[in-house]
Amino acid sequence: MRRPYSPFNNKRFIGNTNTNEVHDLDSETSNCKINEIKHEHVKTFSPDTHAEAENQDFDNCAWCIGNSKY
Ligand SMILES: [Zn+2]
């Protein structure tokens, strides 16, 4: 579920700079624990794409994206 407020700003892909994982909020599961990510650890992407998150070396969340590398 996308969140319209800061720091999520309605973005689809949200990185956690603490775990270096990226989440797809359109496929979010309760296991993602998005609401437990500290706001200072929330990273959004421009463009808001999975490819951009990969370019920045974020690993996939195993729950909402899959194919986690680590
Ligand atoms: Zn996730």
Side-chain angles (χ1 to χ4, degrees), residues 4-64:
Y5 46 84
S6 177
F8 302 99
N9 298 320
N10 211 37
K11 300 286 191 179
R12 177 174 174 184
F13 292 98
I14 296 296
N16 178 342
T17 60
N18 193 41
T19 62
N20 213 50
E21 285 184 327
V22 59
H23 299 270
D24 177 355
L25 294 195
D26 285 356
S27 302
E28 181 183 345
T29 78
S30 58
N31 289 313
C32 294
K33 302 193 187 316
I34 300 296
N35 292 328
E36 294 179 20
I37 303 174
K38 290 196 165 107
H39 283 185
E40 63 261 37
H41 292 151
V42 169
K43 162 93 180 153
T44 57
F45 302 97
S46 285
D48 183 23
T49 61
H50 182 243
E52 180 60 22
E54 283 196 312
N55 285 343
Q56 297 191 32
D57 280 333
F58 279 80
D59 192 17
N60 294 342
C61 170
W63 299 103
C64 61

